[in-house]
Structure formats: structure tokens, C-alpha cells
Amino acid sequence: MINTKDQTPVMTLKQAAAYLQVSKAHLSNVINGKVPGVPALRCFRVGRRILIKREWVDEWMESADLEATGEW
């Protein structure tokens, strides 16, 4: 079990999936823009590792919420 309470500024794919409470496979699909109606999540790669800044996840959730409510 990953402790998502640790507020690290950069998360691995596994940590970000736990933070969002989704599977790694689903998050990977979101990052690659393969989920219809869901904006892609920003990330960066170091070799084969996918890393995501916590602030990007929070901004992505906020923008997805605004789009869903029509306030964007």
C-alpha cells in the first residue's frame, strides 16, 4: 500500500493512480488521451518512468470538474 499522505511534489504512475483512486491502466489511458471526453493528464518521462507533478493532477481535476459543470 502506498502512503499518499506524503505530499511529494512528484509522483510515479502508481502513486498518482492511488492518489486519484483509479487503476494504473486507466491513468495510463488518460495520460495517452485514450479516454473519450476526458482531457489528457500532463506528465513527463524519465527513461521509461512516467512522472506526474502533484500540482498538475490537482489542476487537471479542477479543469475536468469545471468542464463537467459547464463553468469553464
Side-chain angles (χ1 to χ4, degrees):
M1 185 72 184
I2 295 174
N3 185 0
T4 57
K5 302 232 188 280
D6 295 335
Q7 295 294 317
T8 59
V10 178
M11 299 183 285
T12 64
L13 184 67
K14 186 175 183 179
Q15 290 169 324
Y19 180 68
L20 292 169
Q21 297 180 357
V22 298
S23 70
K24 285 180 13 182
H26 181 70
L27 183 55
S28 181
N29 287 334
V30 169
I31 288 170
N32 293 317
K34 295 181 178 179
V35 180
V38 177
L41 176 60
R42 189 173 167 194
C43 71
F44 62 97
R45 297 174 191 266
V46 178
R48 295 180 64 193
R49 294 184 70 182
I50 297 172
L51 300 173
I52 307 159
K53 289 177 88 174
R54 184 176 301 273
E55 69 181 85
W56 293 346
V57 174
D58 294 335
E59 290 169 2
W60 175 81
M61 283 192 299
E62 197 62 37
S63 70
D65 183 48
L66 291 176
E67 288 178 15
T69 60
E71 296 178 23
W72 186 251

